[in-house]
Amino acid sequence: MDQQQSECRLEYQGDEVLARLLAKAGSAYDVADVRDLVAGVLSAPPCDDWPRLVAATVSPALHAQFVALAREIAAAAPAEGPEPAARLAALREGLARRGVAGFLVPRADEHQGEYVPLHAQRLGWLTGFTGSAGLAIILADRAAIFVDGRYTLQVRAEVDGGLYEYRHIGEQPPAEWIVANLGRGQALGYDPWLHTAGDIERYGAAAAKAGGRLQPLAANPLDAVWSDQPPPPLAPVVPHDLRYAGKPAAEKRAELAAALATSGVDAAVLTAPDSIAWLLNIRGGDVSHTPLPLSFAILKRDATVDLFIDQRKLMPDLA
């Protein structure tokens, strides 16, 4: 068996072999870069095309090492962490160190989409609840989880009733619970990336009615205690063929820029990945069930766009 055949075996041959193959492929990545990228790939739904993120031309030997390395990293992932009670206790300790009495934990990411990546499934990690909508409010001596009518049975099966009160989010809304349970002078923390303006207005009013306040935190305290939190997903972002897109991205940008100019607006901030995917004729795979690249964008009235995205996700032919 020659060297090429040997290196094609689906068994990781070591960092030295991978480094040699990367250099031979002309990749700008080193082994540490590849390991970080693979961790992000594993945080996204399964995708076979990701090796091209590392090198435009991937030999069979290099591809085999990528696949073997991914399997090795996945196998080395830690077993399930502490029990929900320990997770809740660790979060409460972190809140106390930050000088806040409580914290809001929504089932949402920075884009407010229905499907969220593993990295952002904070409510599920903390409580065990796996539904697609919900909110937990954590205080030092009590906590509640709010779900809608779809999940009244599921939440009782998945979440420890000794740790959390079960609440119907429509009939027993979070704002009422805040008014009844937040102490006078206390601060209820929140991650400003994870809530809508309407959420903050509503919960802020409730905190004020209780004699406390809503306080934005610079970093999410739950992330600090989630020791095995997956990294943000890194799924390949690819161009969406014009025959499916209907219009070139430049034409879409020009039309919307004209609308901005007519309205006297200089720019529009886009936070919804589906809007960005439509505007730029791109597709991705960062979350399940929808071909979206998680990203932000600013569309300007001159029809240019600033795209805020992890560039490691961009396939070589995307530009």
Side-chain angles (χ1 to χ4, degrees):
M1 180 182 295
D2 62 26
Q3 183 178 12
Q4 177 91 348
Q5 290 174 315
S6 175
E7 290 171 348
C8 279
R9 291 181 301 173
L10 284 181
E11 176 181 331
Y12 188 57
Q13 301 297 305
D15 290 355
E16 288 187 7
V17 170
L18 179 57
R20 184 170 67 251
L21 292 170
L22 289 170
K24 187 175 180 180
S27 174
Y29 281 70
D30 61 21
V31 173
D33 294 333
V34 171
R35 286 184 173 275
D36 286 343
L37 184 137
V38 168
V41 167
L42 293 173
S43 291
C47 171
D48 295 331
D49 226 10
W50 67 265
R52 289 185 55 227
L53 293 172
V54 182
T57 302
V58 180
S59 68
L62 182 56
H63 187 277
Q65 289 307 290
F66 283 158
V67 173
L69 178 60
R71 290 180 178 177
E72 181 180 278
I73 292 174
E80 189 169 338
E83 293 296 314
R87 299 177 186 189
L88 182 58
L91 176 59
R92 283 174 166 151
E93 290 176 5
L95 297 178
R97 288 194 299 271
R98 289 167 173 80
V100 293
F103 188 62
L104 301 173
V105 184
R107 200 273 184 186
D109 66 0
E110 298 88 338
H111 307 280
Q112 298 295 317
E114 180 177 359
Y115 303 107
V116 301
L118 296 175
H119 170 80
Q121 293 181 14
R122 298 175 177 90
L123 181 63
W125 178 83
L126 180 66
T127 68
F129 176 65
T130 62
S132 64
L135 170 76
I137 305 178
I138 313 303
L139 295 177
D141 59 349
R142 66 192 61 193
I145 184 165
F146 300 80
V147 300
D148 63 37
R150 294 171 295 174
Y151 298 117
T152 52
L153 297 179
Q154 180 176 329
V155 72
R156 293 175 181 273
E158 294 181 336
V159 178
D160 186 344
L163 300 176
Y164 297 90
E165 300 174 31
Y166 305 125
R167 308 276 293 192
H168 189 292
I169 201 166
E171 299 171 1
Q172 304 164 302
E176 290 183 2
W177 195 89
I178 292 170
V179 172
N181 292 282
L182 186 65
R184 182 166 297 276
Q186 290 185 330
L188 179 60
Y190 70 97
D191 183 339
W193 284 95
L194 304 181
H195 299 271
T196 66
D199 289 340
I200 300 310
E201 181 178 358
R202 185 166 54 255
Y203 301 147
K209 188 174 181 179
R213 68 186 188 280
L214 203 59
Q215 181 171 318
L217 301 180
N220 193 309
L222 192 150
D223 293 350
V225 299
W226 188 357
S227 59
D228 58 346
Q229 183 181 24
L234 293 173
V237 180
V238 299
H240 191 50
D241 195 278
L242 184 59
R243 59 180 168 162
Y244 304 119
K247 290 183 180 179
E251 186 176 334
K252 296 178 180 179
R253 289 189 284 110
E255 290 178 359
L256 293 183
L260 293 179
T262 299
S263 302
V265 175
D266 292 317
V269 178
L270 305 179
T271 62
D274 51 343
S275 296
I276 297 167
W278 175 85
L279 177 65
L280 299 180
N281 288 348
I282 57 177
R283 295 294 186 268
D286 286 329
V287 294
S288 299
H289 309 300
T290 51
L292 301 179
L294 298 183
S295 55
F296 299 93
I298 299 176
L299 170 66
K300 302 175 185 177
R301 65 190 298 172
D302 65 358
T304 61
V305 171
D306 292 334
L307 177 62
F308 298 83
I309 192 168
D310 191 324
Q311 295 188 39
R312 292 177 296 173
K313 296 192 290 191
L314 306 183
M315 289 293 258
D317 55 350
L318 185 66

